[in-house]
Amino acid sequence: MDLRALTRPEAALADAVPFAVGGLALTDPQVKAVLLLSLAGVLLSVYGRLLDAVVGVDVDRINPARQRSPLVQGRVAPGWVAGWAVLTGLAVAAGGWLWAASLPARIGFVALVGLRAWLTLSRRRTWRGTRRGTRGGPPLPSLLVAATVAGGLPLGVAAAGGKAGVGVLVLTAGFGLAALVTDWTVDDLRNLPTDRVCGGRTPALATGVYLRRPRGFVFSRRYAAIVLTAQIGLVVAVSATGGLALAAGPAGAALAPAGPGGPVAVAPVTPGTAGGHASLAGRGLAAAAAVLAALVATAGLVRLIRSGAPGLDPIRSPRPHGGGFVLANLLACQLASVAWLLTEPAGLPLWALLPAVGGWVVGLPLRLQAGRAGSG
């Protein structure tokens, strides 16, 4: 249970989805490649969470939302957690370097591991600098968080021997914006009391968000504008991905690597093939569902802000809720991925559906279980 609390495997599986989609965004995707990329995404997520737990243990001791951490309660030794963090980071960097099809992709795996470590250590410098009256750390840490999550998609394409096109880049923007909205709302609000003391740089603090009594938050117009702008950007990215998938029509094309690290060929689809009109109908259904999920998430986010997010108050809510729109955003990005992946001439393999929507499928039961526990 202590290991699960530190690594959050359900969140790690969700973080691995962009990596899996990158491996699927090719003609004739290989099961081995998708599994290896998914494993890299899981390990990278676990690596970051273990680093955060070790480096931020002193801050977590004064954070009401982190009092149940095994490190805070002394059930797990910091050295043990740090050791596992190093091992998982090395596994991602070394495995990516040995397996990736091109030199830029190999460098990308190492860069993601280094970027995640720099982000975590810079937060530590920010906390220490605040105690000494100085400032430290990156000016836009949320953008770095988004890069480590969404960067897995183009990296997965490159590692599998393909080349990222417009659709992949738009999908990357969608996953990145989803990570930003989550970070700026659920994560930042739960950490608001600690960030205020420790000098965290978040939009919530910069725009004057503060706790109110008996529970909940007071949001400024600037904060609402920042968060909703990112959410609208996600809706646009999801809609654009669906539009690109539909524009491919029954004569769409997909990336087909000629060989590891080799040139990319374009494989056309004719109306009489398996990837013709039937595939177009599937793209339309997935695209429409993606836009609907994004709009539902937007409505949930607006409702959360208007209500003052009482369920996210870390002081009055031992089991904080209110982030249901996060799962809807994740589902929207995954359905948009399915719409784009269906542009493959032969159609999306049935086994590809699991990694494409796996993060949401795993997250939903756990979300419902947490809701029942909180209401009991």
Side-chain angles (χ1 to χ4, degrees):
M1 291 299 293
D2 288 342
L3 182 62
R4 183 187 181 281
L6 289 172
T7 60
R8 293 181 59 199
E10 69 279 5
L13 286 171
D15 291 342
V17 170
F19 288 82
V21 172
L24 292 168
L26 302 166
T27 298
D28 191 22
Q30 301 299 312
V31 177
K32 178 182 177 181
V34 175
L35 289 178
L36 287 174
L37 286 168
S38 300
L39 178 61
V42 169
L43 290 178
L44 185 67
S45 179
V46 169
Y47 162 71
R49 294 180 197 285
L50 292 179
L51 274 184
D52 287 340
V54 174
V55 174
V57 64
D58 291 336
V59 178
D60 289 345
R61 289 194 176 101
I62 61 173
N63 188 341
R66 307 287 183 184
Q67 295 302 307
R68 297 187 179 186
S69 167
L71 277 172
V72 172
Q73 296 186 358
R75 299 197 306 267
V76 180
W80 182 85
V81 177
W84 277 108
V86 171
L87 286 177
T88 53
L90 287 176
V92 174
W97 185 271
L98 293 174
W99 173 78
S102 62
L103 180 60
R106 295 169 187 166
I107 296 174
F109 280 103
V110 177
L112 275 185
V113 173
L115 182 66
R116 193 64 180 84
W118 176 64
L119 173 62
T120 301
L121 295 175
S122 65
R123 285 173 171 170
R124 176 70 170 178
R125 290 196 302 271
T126 298
W127 176 60
R128 286 182 172 178
T130 302
R131 294 173 66 186
R132 299 184 182 118
T134 61
R135 300 289 291 182
L140 296 173
S142 297
L143 297 181
L144 301 182
V145 173
T148 60
V149 174
L153 205 163
L155 180 58
V157 173
K163 183 179 179 181
V166 175
V168 171
L169 296 179
V170 175
L171 268 176
T172 301
F175 277 107
L177 287 168
L180 280 178
V181 174
T182 302
D183 198 52
W184 289 345
T185 52
V186 177
D187 295 338
D188 285 354
L189 295 180
R190 290 177 182 174
N191 295 330
L192 184 69
T194 304
D195 288 339
R196 190 178 300 279
V197 174
C198 300
R201 302 184 183 186
T202 66
L205 286 176
T207 56
V209 175
Y210 61 92
L211 281 165
R212 67 179 176 187
R213 298 271 69 87
R215 61 188 306 185
F217 301 84
V218 174
F219 298 117
S220 66
R221 291 184 178 180
R222 286 194 299 161
Y223 174 81
I226 291 172
V227 173
L228 292 177
T229 297
Q231 179 67 28
I232 292 171
L234 185 148
V235 175
V236 171
V238 167
S239 303
T241 301
L244 289 171
L246 293 175
L255 298 175
V264 177
V266 176
V269 179
T270 58
T273 64
H277 294 298
S279 177
L280 180 60
R283 292 177 229 163
L285 180 61
V291 174
L292 178 61
L295 292 176
V296 169
T298 303
L301 178 60
V302 171
R303 181 180 178 184
L304 182 78
I305 293 177
R306 292 189 63 182
S307 68
L312 296 179
D313 185 335
I315 296 175
R316 295 295 297 273
S317 303
R319 291 181 177 271
H321 303 294
F325 70 92
V326 172
L327 275 177
N329 274 340
L330 178 62
L331 178 61
C333 292
Q334 290 167 339
L335 289 172
S337 300
V338 171
W340 175 248
L341 293 172
L342 282 172
T343 59
E344 183 195 335
L348 190 68
L350 291 178
W351 59 263
L353 293 176
L354 182 59
V357 298
W360 189 84
V361 170
V362 171
L364 180 61
L366 291 171
R367 174 76 189 175
L368 294 176
Q369 182 180 7
R372 287 194 296 268
S375 61

